[in-house]
Amino acid sequence: LASLAPGITPAAIIVFFGTSSFSGGSTSVTFPITGILATDTIVANIKASTNSVSLNKVFTGNGNVNFVFGADPGAATTISYQISRAAT
């Protein structure tokens, strides 16, 4: 944050982003992300899936990010995510 121009004060900064693959067979999946906090904010979407489903819930817990789908997304599911944290 120190390298930002004076007067620019973001509310949050992106601390993690990426994609994860899931082979289906369940309506939820958990991926470990070292350093993630319960107070972090997650924005995620399904980039690809065999079945047409929705991403119903995304939450953190114990160094993990958890994705809950409306149904089994099937094989070859790819999730894209961005995790932000309050700027300090």
Side-chain angles (χ1 to χ4, degrees):
L1 295 176
S3 63
L4 294 175
I8 297 176
T9 55
I13 57 171
I14 297 170
V15 290
F16 303 102
F17 66 92
T19 58
S20 294
S21 297
F22 173 52
S23 61
S26 176
T27 59
S28 65
V29 64
T30 300
F31 295 110
I33 299 179
T34 303
I36 194 169
L37 303 176
T39 54
D40 290 341
T41 301
I42 305 168
V43 176
N45 70 321
I46 300 170
K47 290 183 69 172
S49 65
T50 303
N51 303 323
S52 179
V53 298
S54 60
L55 184 57
N56 289 356
K57 185 176 181 180
V58 181
F59 59 97
T60 63
N62 298 325
N64 297 309
V65 61
N66 306 281
F67 300 92
V68 179
F69 305 94
D72 178 2
T77 299
T78 304
I79 304 163
S80 176
Y81 59 87
Q82 175 179 301
I83 301 168
S84 59
R85 184 171 294 157
T88 56

